[in-house]
Amino acid sequence: MPDILHLLTDRIDTPIGTLILVADTEGNLRVTDWTDHEDRMLLLLERHYGKNQFRLEPTRNPHGLTAALTRYFDGDLAAIDTLPVQTAGTPFQREVWRALREIPCGTTTSYGELAARIGRPSAVRAVGLANGANPIGVVVPCHRVIGANGSLTGYGGGLPRKRWLLHHESPARRLSF
């Protein structure tokens, strides 16, 4: 019988809703999602780790991850840059998710540019699907991917949250006179 994966959970009140974080006991962030999508998050965990193959334990600030995410929402945008993440998913999905972490804060890219960045310029649709399947939103910044024409495109947390995150990270917003 395989070992049950022990996962630690916490919740963070943010300006755009309550965020759930899930970490493993080694300190890797495994999932983030919004409480209004908690059912989706549980299905994702089952898909990635197997039904009845993980146990969630509420924990305050597991491995300092809650504090880092809180700092990000309070304006310290670099607080999440080096957080350790570990995900399941296909090798292609993990490749896309690694590339997402390389998009600098305060910038955006298109699906086509992201596909080219990973050396697969014709895989735009597949990149879009992998982006949409990202289990660690905000930290793996799928919100920084927009349409080729500059339009806001889908975001698992909803377009109002995507808009807020992009504004929060905007260099123009951080200028002070």
Side-chain angles (χ1 to χ4, degrees), residues 62-82:
H63 303 284
L65 295 168
T66 305
L69 279 156
T70 298
R71 286 193 311 275
Y72 166 84
F73 281 102
D74 286 345
D76 179 3
L77 302 178
I80 62 173
D81 288 350
T82 59

Side-chain angles (χ1 to χ4, degrees), residues 109-113 146-151 153:
T109 193
S110 70
Y111 295 100
E113 290 167 343
I146 60 174
N149 64 359
S151 65
T153 56

Side-chain angles (χ1 to χ4, degrees), residues 61 79 133:
N61 194 25

Side-chain angles (χ1 to χ4, degrees), residues 77-167:
L77 302 178
I80 62 173
D81 288 350
T82 59
L83 292 182
V85 297
Q86 170 110 16
T87 61
T90 69
F92 178 79
Q93 287 173 324
R94 289 193 308 268
E95 182 179 15
V96 170
W97 299 337
R98 276 189 300 275
L100 289 171
R101 289 203 84 184
E102 295 171 4
I103 302 169
C105 185
T107 67
T108 57
T109 193
S110 70
Y111 295 100
E113 290 167 343
L114 190 58
R117 186 175 295 163
I118 65 168
R120 299 183 185 205
S122 64
V124 176
R125 290 176 68 104
V127 164
L129 290 171
N131 190 63
N134 171 25
I136 310 175
V138 180
V139 175
V140 177
C142 52
H143 61 276
R144 295 179 189 159
V145 182
I146 60 174
N149 64 359
S151 65
L152 290 189
T153 56
Y155 177 66
L159 289 181
R161 285 186 176 125
K162 181 173 186 160
R163 188 174 291 108
W164 188 94
L165 290 165
L166 291 173
H167 177 74

